[in-house]
Amino acid sequence: MWQRLDPSVDIWRARSHPLNPIFLPRSVAVVGATEREGSVGRTVLWNLISHPFGGTVYPVNPKRHQVLGIRAYERLSALPEPVDLAIIAIPAAGVPKVVQECVEAGVKGAIVLSAGFKETGPAGWELEKQIQQTIQSRQRDGVLGKLRLIGPNCLGIQNPHTGLNATFAAQMARPGNVGFISQSGALCTSILDWSLQENVGFSAFISLGSMLDVGWGDLIDYLGEDPHTHSIVLYMESIGDARSFLSAAREVALSKPIIAIKAGRTQAAAQAAASHTGSLTGSDAVLDAAFRRCGVLRVDHIEDLFDLAEVLAKQPRPQGPHLTILTNAGGPGVLATDALIRAGGSLAELSPQTLEQLERILPPHWSHGNPIDILGDADPERFAQVLEVVLQDPGSQGCLVILTPQAMTDPTATAEKVVETWRRSGSRQPILASWMGGAGVDVGEQILNQAGIPTYRYPDQAARVFGYLWRFSYNLKALYETPTLPPSTAVERDKVQQTFSQARREGRTLLTEAESKEILAAYGIPVVPTRVAESPEAAVEAAEAMGYPVVVKLYSHTLTHKTEVGGVQLNLPDAEAVRRAFGQIYRNVTEKAGPEHFQGVTVQPFVAAGQSPLVGTDGYELILGSSQDPQFGPVLLFGSGGQLVEVFQDRSIGLPPLNTTLARRLMENTLIYKALKGVRGRPAVDLEALEQLLVRFSQLVAEQQDIREIDINPLLASAKGLVALDARVILRTEQDPQVPLAIRPYPTQYIWPFRDGITIRPIRPEDEPLVIDFHRHVSDYSVYLRYFHPIKYSARIAHERLTRICFNDYDREIALVAEKQEPKANRASGTKSLILGISRLSRKHGFPQEAEFAMLVADPYQRQGIGTELLTRLIQVARCEGIQHLTGEVLCENEAMRRLCQRLGFQLRPSPEDPGILKATLDLAVDAAIPTPCPA
């Protein structure tokens, strides 16, 4: 039944990858194989031999000479050949010893099916620690990834395209195009049974277990390169390595949809998931933000997982949220509308031209709007005519066709007409269908599905799917929408460190309000002037200098919420009011907290919406903050601020660092954003300035890892300006775990001055206009030498291509540019910068210690030492990033590049695949000259 693919045909499979021994093994050992009925060891062995995968199977059992008629071996070292994959199905206590044997025997892949590890408590944690130490010690001695391990506590894996069934499931999945990864083995078996009934096929079927070694990022990367996988479906209980997951998902999601369902939305479910996997589940709101940031579509129901996988494989992504509903009955159209609005979509507003055409086509009593009710007597021709008009409407970004089986309805003929009209239209908006009813509509449904139009028995389900589609498209667009570069702002990092040091010398982790505002000001965030006063006279003196009215607040080294202890007095008009306020705050704090918490007061101008020239007459109180998540590290919060911030709960969460595009999306996810754009005659807030403030705040959070919590509340925003009225900063203690940023920030350590005003620095998303201008100065011959084939200028500057160049995931690749500041703004980019050359360092998937390099210098700047400097600095970056082997390809006729590579120590050898290409290799693992030490 199963036939192993020929590696000469399947080029990707023939390439080496550290996970190939697990998914494409040539030999498999089953440790714990037995003949005991119902045992895991027997089931796995039987599955392997009853579904031929083109490899050899070896039972390993020290107590038996044979298992199921196959010769058994006492241990792995006794096998006649080194095996690719070891499947371990023995009690947990014996697993560390077997993993050690795997390492010693040269086994490259292992699957641990056994339970009884960290999900059971401290003893299980210790077993996992032993296994991890064994794997890591081997990785330090040899090549990283010498042994890769899936599990423990998992069902195993299936590769339906080769026939490999390395699980103890009762069934084998059908071959297909969906890669399925689940942390729950029980859910795997349920999905497997369902898929066989529904004829759903898989490219891979993976039970991940507790992710001791191989995690989400590894598998997403692997399936992302697999040509048989068109979409990836995840069931998650915990994230594990957050940075690895986000990095892999962000790269793969643009080409292959990733749909996830994450258990643990409620507190009770989160606790159950944690006890199941022994892993932290983290904040659900933060996880939503992480999914948005990497382009993963999160769904709430298991059935939606595969609905979305099917739709995204068949239909284009919508360019907006506006759906047109075409129905032959009013009720289903209303149900679909409700579901659409709840899912975040909206009804398309039909253009006057569309309405005019529909008036000519439809009977007088049609709905005259969207949903378009074409009435119960609609024949196939009427459906087709209306659909043709709708698909050409510029305001429609998706179409849902609903059919209810009435006496005069022909579901089959209507389906044929819908398919014919859709294909003829050439429309790029997605189309969905809901053929309601029983057996009478089955043939029509089949016609639609075979044509690539997904069908649903109920229209509300179809509308909900469209909402998911729009959300997926919206999030992906945000990932690769070119941001603008905010104006350069000098950052006083030394001043920040001095403030932190002073607080730590005094034994404090809570910064005062004045200190907190100093931190904000150091990053260019506007703050209201604030002076500390330790006596009533000093407070009056500060108020006189500022001008009345003023605000007097508690100044304390220990208390953070001033209003709760009566520590705020507003709108004080004169000196006497300031003196009274000082005394009142002292009495309030003494009564509610104790006199030791009173160190004085701060005085600042009274700033309120409608009452201050600082922000104008129509301002809004916002909150901007950050705190630590145990899995994702620092996270950002933006929303409605003021004293009722916890009541309104109008907030949006994001991950730093931000650019202007991501900052705008963070704002768009709040209710207050509608008001910020201007409402009921009130002017809009300066949204561009607010974007830039958010970017600077995210830079502060990303750079200052000593901060545990920080918030600005309120941040007063209006059309005239922005100002932080109050701020709070709490520093980490030595006991607080430091969780790194989930997304690596811009690597400022790799910025070097060169000469003649040229700077070598990492590329950034905002450079896209500069890269377009750069390609104007690159000749066709230089393009040929770089890419080995011609590429038209229009193709080189296409946004879809430039996103791959400019939007670097700095954990995976780092491109360096040589930038020169020109005295005049150049015509194409509108800036004073010019990119002269680009070099790129890209890690190989699955081999994090190996990387490839490439370089291109604009023709007017060649032979001026720029290429030498770019490649020299790229080698330095590679060393600092832990790269041990750097490789690239050079055309034999590219003499300049050949000489440069040889001068920098590369070995050049003919490529075995093409005699016209040279392989350039630099071994960084051996001692070699480094231009300068790795920058801090």
Side-chain angles (χ1 to χ4, degrees), residues 40-119:
V40 172
R42 185 188 192 281
T43 305
V44 172
L45 181 62
W46 177 253
N47 283 345
L48 287 167
I49 62 178
S50 61
H51 298 93
F53 60 94
T56 309
V57 181
Y58 297 103
V60 176
N61 188 328
K63 298 180 180 180
R64 301 187 65 90
H65 296 293
Q66 64 176 26
V67 179
L68 298 181
I70 306 171
R71 179 186 172 182
Y73 296 84
E74 187 176 354
R75 61 180 65 87
L76 286 169
S77 58
L79 297 176
E81 62 172 339
V83 294
D84 287 336
L85 174 63
I87 302 174
I88 303 172
I90 62 173
V95 173
K97 181 180 178 182
V98 173
V99 171
Q100 181 66 44
E101 290 179 11
C102 287
V103 169
E104 293 171 353
V107 178
K108 297 176 182 177
I111 300 174
V112 179
L113 307 179
S114 318
F117 290 89
K118 65 184 177 184
E119 73 275 8

Side-chain angles (χ1 to χ4, degrees), residues 840-842 851-855 871 874 886-890 897 901 906 920-921:
R840 179 174 299 276
L841 178 78
S842 303
E852 297 174 338
F853 77 93
M855 188 172 67
L871 189 51
L874 200 70
L886 187 59
T887 61
E889 292 186 332
V890 182
M897 193 65 185
C901 288
F906 285 87
T921 305

Side-chain angles (χ1 to χ4, degrees), residues 123-143:
W125 274 102
E126 181 59 31
L127 292 174
E128 288 200 6
K129 185 178 178 182
Q130 294 174 29
I131 297 171
Q132 216 158 26
Q133 288 174 342
T134 299
I135 296 173
Q136 290 173 351
S137 64
R138 182 66 179 191
Q139 291 171 347
R140 285 193 297 267
D141 295 340
V143 178

Side-chain angles (χ1 to χ4, degrees), residues 2 67 102 167 172 178 188 194 197 227 234 302 331 399 530 561 631 656 681 704 735 742 748 751 842 858 926:
W2 304 106
V67 179
C102 287
T167 72
M172 179 69 185
V178 177
C188 277
W194 168 86
Q197 179 181 341
L234 314 176
I302 290 177
C399 182
T530 302
H561 295 295
Q631 289 187 309
Q704 303 300 335
Q735 290 73 38
T748 54
I751 300 177
S842 303
V926 300

Side-chain angles (χ1 to χ4, degrees), residues 730-752:
I730 301 176
L731 303 180
R732 286 193 319 109
T733 66
E734 292 183 357
Q735 290 73 38
D736 290 331
Q738 184 169 3
V739 183
L741 288 162
I743 298 171
R744 183 174 177 178
Y746 185 75
T748 54
Q749 69 269 33
Y750 298 139
I751 300 177
W752 297 279

